[in-house]
Amino acid sequence: QRVNVTVRSGMTMVLAGSAEPCAQLIVSSIGVVSSAEQNRQHSARFFDVLTAKLGLGPERIVIRFYPLEPWQIGKNRTVMTFL
């Protein structure tokens, strides 16, 4: 209920100067990705899944974490602050 996923395949992307297959995962969340310690744990799990499912080496994957505040996400005609 609180996770949304967008997949954009077939895009040209260059990572570390190479256009070989690669992936970028962008994770934004309220209160779950707000510290280095949390993101270190999330990163390890995401890399495990992405390398297994996509067949990419970890050097071909980048994860970007964005912490959000409840007032930054709108849902059900209000913002998460009030839900």
Side-chain angles (χ1 to χ4, degrees):
Q1 182 174 341
R2 294 184 181 245
V3 175
N4 299 300
V5 177
T6 301
V7 177
R8 295 182 186 154
S9 62
M11 296 177 67
T12 301
M13 185 172 143
V14 175
L15 178 63
S18 170
E20 291 297 313
C22 59
Q24 175 179 249
L25 175 64
I26 299 172
V27 180
S28 56
S29 182
I30 299 168
V32 179
V33 296
S34 57
S35 74
E37 293 78 19
Q38 286 177 317
N39 292 347
R40 185 177 188 185
Q41 292 176 355
H42 298 315
S43 183
R45 291 183 188 121
F46 284 131
F47 270 93
D48 288 346
V49 171
L50 292 172
T51 55
K53 297 290 183 182
L54 300 178
L56 296 173
E59 71 285 353
R60 300 301 300 156
I61 300 170
V62 173
I63 302 173
R64 296 168 62 189
F65 294 99
Y66 291 98
L68 299 172
E69 296 296 327
W71 55 266
Q72 292 176 303
I73 302 296
K75 187 173 180 182
N76 295 335
R77 302 180 72 205
T78 186
V79 293
M80 296 298 290
T81 303
F82 303 107
L83 294 177

